Amino acid sequence: CIFSLLTGSCGHGGIVNISQPYVVQLNWRGFSFKYGSWGRDSSLRTPQKDLYWVAPLNPDGRLLESYRLHNSYDDLLLLKNARELNIQYGEGSGTAVYNNFMYYNVYNSRDMGKLNLNTNTLAVRKTLPNAAYSNRFSYAGVGWQDMDFAVDESGLWVIYSTEDNKGKVMISKLNETTLDVLHTWNTRQYKPSISNAFIICGVLYATRPVNTRKEEIFYTYDTNTEQEGKISIIMDKMLETIQSINYNPSDRVLYVYNDGYLVKYNLIFQPVLH
Ligand SMILES: *[C@@H]1O[C@H](CO)[C@@H](O)[C@H](O)[C@H]1NC(C)=O
Ligand SMILES: *[C@@H]1O[C@H](CO)[C@@H](O)[C@H](O)[C@H]1NC(C)=O
């Protein structure tokens, strides 16, 4: 028998449990920078082979104005050899990094931005058709995250909503080169009632707060089968609000920005026997 639990593979039956949170550090801008996102891009196109990014929002919880890159986990831990860069401007903490590009909601628009991290220049700016924006249908307890970018084993996605579907979660698969929408799925889950979401192997997982110390992964939408599901996996948290979650398919870690702290969780998957 062979268990298919290799990193980057989808030969598993989904998440069955999650580790305790591992607190890496406070974000470099300090405790008042409660909002933001962070993660790891371990793409083949990163010249350094490993890239950690940290993108706190301004204390208004809206404006993404600066971010830092580190070429190793040790550098991140020691706050060493950072490249610190400015952009004009992103909105909300739905940012993701994939293959050496940063994807974010361009400030006060329904546009998606694709920033080249080698040059800090905008490579593509494209409208996400009919997307609600500017805090219309953000997440519960988290403002300005109308657009939440996600990366899974198959590439780049965006989680958002429109006026037409009255704030329910929509999931679009994007062409990462052009930001064209390749396919869209409509769920029945109201976006402002979930606190965050991420995608693994084409399955959207959504969270909601249970109390100030616990969050629950409670809802799934499988884009492969177009089926919704209910699950209950409890995530312990250090502070009250999970501002963002970024899944990395190559190490299968959730990178969580928890009220200014950079936190990691390991995921435990259901093995599938072949
Ligand atoms: C889930 O993981 C936690 C550690 O985070 C552990 O304490 C618990 O026993 C696990 N639950 C199951 C059902 O394996
Ligand atoms: C994405 O767009 C590029 C450039 O137009 C194209 O070459 C590529 O085939 C597209 N990929 C998919 C999956 O549609």
Side-chain angles (χ1 to χ4, degrees):
C1 320
I2 297 167
F3 286 96
S4 181
L5 282 175
L6 297 174
T7 294
S9 124
C10 287
H12 60 69
I15 305 175
V16 287
N17 202 0
I18 191 164
S19 73
Q20 287 295 305
Y22 175 74
V23 180
V24 176
Q25 62 188 205
L26 182 62
N27 82 85
W28 97 90
R29 298 184 79 181
F31 188 72
S32 56
F33 290 77
K34 282 176 62 172
Y35 315 97
S37 56
W38 81 293
R40 178 187 182 197
D41 179 19
S42 47
S43 73
L44 302 172
R45 276 183 249 168
T46 305
Q48 299 79 15
K49 298 280 195 300
D50 208 1
L51 180 72
Y52 288 85
W53 57 278
V54 185
L57 302 182
N58 286 359
D60 64 1
R62 179 175 185 186
L63 213 63
L64 171 60
E65 198 177 5
S66 66
Y67 66 93
R68 267 191 179 184
L69 303 175
H70 294 274
N71 292 339
S72 75
Y73 189 61
D74 287 346
D75 280 356
L76 170 76
L77 288 180
L78 300 171
L79 302 176
K80 253 179 43 186
N81 301 324
R83 280 180 285 157
E84 190 168 325
L85 297 150
N86 291 323
I87 56 172
Q88 288 179 347
Y89 297 104
E91 181 160 299
S93 48
T95 306
V97 169
Y98 180 53
N99 281 339
N100 215 34
F101 288 92
M102 179 178 278
Y103 298 89
Y104 58 90
N105 183 191
V106 177
Y107 180 74
N108 200 27
S109 76
R110 55 170 59 98
D111 292 354
M112 303 176 280
K114 172 181 175 177
L115 189 80
N116 182 330
L117 293 182
N118 287 338
T119 58
N120 193 43
T121 50
L122 202 60
V124 179
R125 176 175 175 159
K126 184 152 233 158
T127 299
L128 179 58
N130 303 315
Y133 68 102
S134 282
N135 218 18
R136 180 76 180 103
F137 297 116
S138 189
Y139 288 137
V142 181
W144 306 102
Q145 207 176 140
D146 297 83
M147 249 183 236
D148 186 9
F149 291 90
V151 174
D152 82 344
E153 290 72 5
S154 71
L156 183 69
W157 305 74
V158 62
I159 302 158
Y160 62 108
S161 189
T162 62
E163 292 300 333
D164 279 354
N165 79 349
K166 301 182 177 61
K168 297 201 186 78
V169 172
M170 291 171 68
I171 307 165
S172 286
K173 188 77 201 294
L174 298 173
N175 179 318
E176 63 169 283
T177 310
T178 58
L179 296 183
D180 285 326
V181 170
L182 299 173
H183 196 90
T184 297
W185 293 263
N186 289 287
T187 77
R188 288 185 300 172
Q189 178 63 46
Y190 187 54
K191 186 168 177 285
S193 72
I194 69 176
S195 54
N196 239 289
F198 52 95
I199 297 178
I200 301 178
C201 294
V203 179
L204 174 116
Y205 292 87
T207 59
R208 65 183 171 198
V210 177
N211 56 41
T212 58
R213 303 306 295 267
K214 290 185 194 304
E215 202 89 355
E216 181 186 31
I217 305 172
F218 76 102
Y219 172 88
T220 59
Y221 183 91
D222 188 340
T223 61
N224 306 293
T225 60
E226 308 195 340
Q227 296 293 307
E228 298 186 292
K230 294 284 172 203
I231 58 173
S232 180
I233 295 166
I234 300 295
M235 295 171 72
D236 286 338
K237 57 188 175 183
M238 201 177 68
L239 293 173
E240 183 163 358
T241 308
I242 291 200
Q243 302 291 344
S244 64
I245 302 178
N246 273 288
Y247 168 70
N248 181 325
S250 57
D251 60 15
R252 290 178 156 178
V253 167
L254 293 185
Y255 292 84
V256 171
Y257 198 97
N258 184 196
D259 284 334
Y261 284 87
L262 316 185
V263 179
K264 300 198 298 184
Y265 295 81
N266 290 315
L267 296 166
I268 297 111
F269 292 93
Q270 176 81 56
V272 170
L273 214 50
H274 289 281

